[in-house]
Amino acid sequence: MLHDFKNVEYLLKGSLVQQRGWQILQECNVLKKLAAFHAVLTGTLPLDLFIAGKSDLDIVCFANDLSLFEQIVEHAFASYTAFEITRKNIRATPSVIARFQYQEFLFELFCQAIPVEKQYAFRHLCIEYSLLQHYGKPLKEQVLQLKQAGIKTEPAFAQALGLSGDPYESLLLLDVSTLPPLH
């Protein structure tokens, strides 16, 4: 069964770091401030793979007008510590990336003119969640060890699963219903 990642209330029933993440999300009100952009928390916190000092709170957004998104983000978060905002092409798609710190958490806001459900981060989140449901604690521990060693999340999953090629693409090609046992 697919998890509803669009409602962060699930964090309240999670680990202590997930509960703290929920508290921080409420304090800085980031999801409400970005609600018009269909903001969804993705990345490591929803999967309970967050590593302090190595992970951030990833929030993906959708906007047809990236300039409007930039303006709203600057207005809402420019006063936060280490705020920066950039535009670049990610996989040939114009994207806006904003970063800032609130309390002990780093945030990364990512926006494209692609619906959130079709963006890589959201798709990876759903696949990685399914993988963790399928393989359980052994996969989670392997991925956490790799992340502690400095490997990013998608490459860590790909390495743990023995996938070849671009890990960001390889994960999207997986059919979770036909997965073999973990190595």
Side-chain angles (χ1 to χ4, degrees):
M1 171 184 268
L2 190 56
H3 188 70
D4 177 15
F5 289 109
K6 294 179 183 178
N7 179 354
V8 294
E9 298 300 312
Y10 65 87
L11 295 173
L12 286 170
K13 296 178 182 172
S15 68
L16 291 177
V17 73
Q18 286 178 310
Q19 291 172 36
R20 177 66 177 147
W22 180 87
Q23 181 183 17
I24 290 297
L25 289 167
Q26 303 314 302
E27 283 179 20
C28 72
N29 215 12
V30 66
L31 294 174
K32 286 185 182 166
K33 290 177 182 177
L34 298 175
F37 303 104
H38 311 277
V40 177
L41 177 68
T42 61
T44 57
L45 189 68
L47 299 172
D48 198 23
L49 294 172
F50 189 90
I51 298 174
K54 295 186 180 191
S55 297
D56 52 24
L57 297 182
D58 296 304
I59 297 173
V60 295
C61 299
F62 161 73
N64 282 318
D65 184 344
L66 294 179
S67 295
L68 176 63
F69 177 79
E70 281 178 312
Q71 291 170 8
I72 289 174
V73 166
E74 284 185 35
H75 181 264
F77 306 108
S79 64
Y80 286 62
T81 303
F83 177 83
E84 64 179 29
I85 190 164
T86 57
R87 262 199 206 218
K88 61 178 164 179
N89 286 338
I90 307 289
R91 298 191 187 273
T93 302
S95 308
V96 174
I97 303 164
R99 293 182 178 94
F100 61 87
Q101 183 163 349
Y102 181 80
Q103 301 286 344
E104 71 271 27
F105 286 92
L106 294 173
F107 281 78
E108 182 174 283
L109 313 179
F110 183 86
C111 186
Q112 294 180 323
I114 297 173
V116 167
E117 298 82 4
K118 294 185 179 191
Q119 290 186 35
Y120 273 51
F122 186 82
R123 293 171 61 202
H124 286 146
L125 172 65
C126 294
I127 290 165
E128 291 161 359
Y129 176 80
S130 295
L131 289 167
L132 290 169
Q133 295 301 300
H134 181 80
Y135 289 119
K137 193 173 181 178
L139 178 61
K140 183 176 181 177
E141 288 174 353
Q142 268 191 281
V143 170
L144 281 170
Q145 282 180 340
L146 292 166
K147 288 184 61 55
Q148 285 284 6
I151 297 174
K152 292 193 168 283
T153 306
E154 284 74 14
F157 270 93
Q159 188 173 329
L161 295 168
L163 302 177
S164 59
D166 179 339
Y168 298 89
E169 298 293 337
S170 297
L171 282 172
L172 296 177
L173 298 175
L174 284 179
D175 179 356
V176 179
S177 66
T178 62
L179 291 173
L182 192 59
H183 308 134

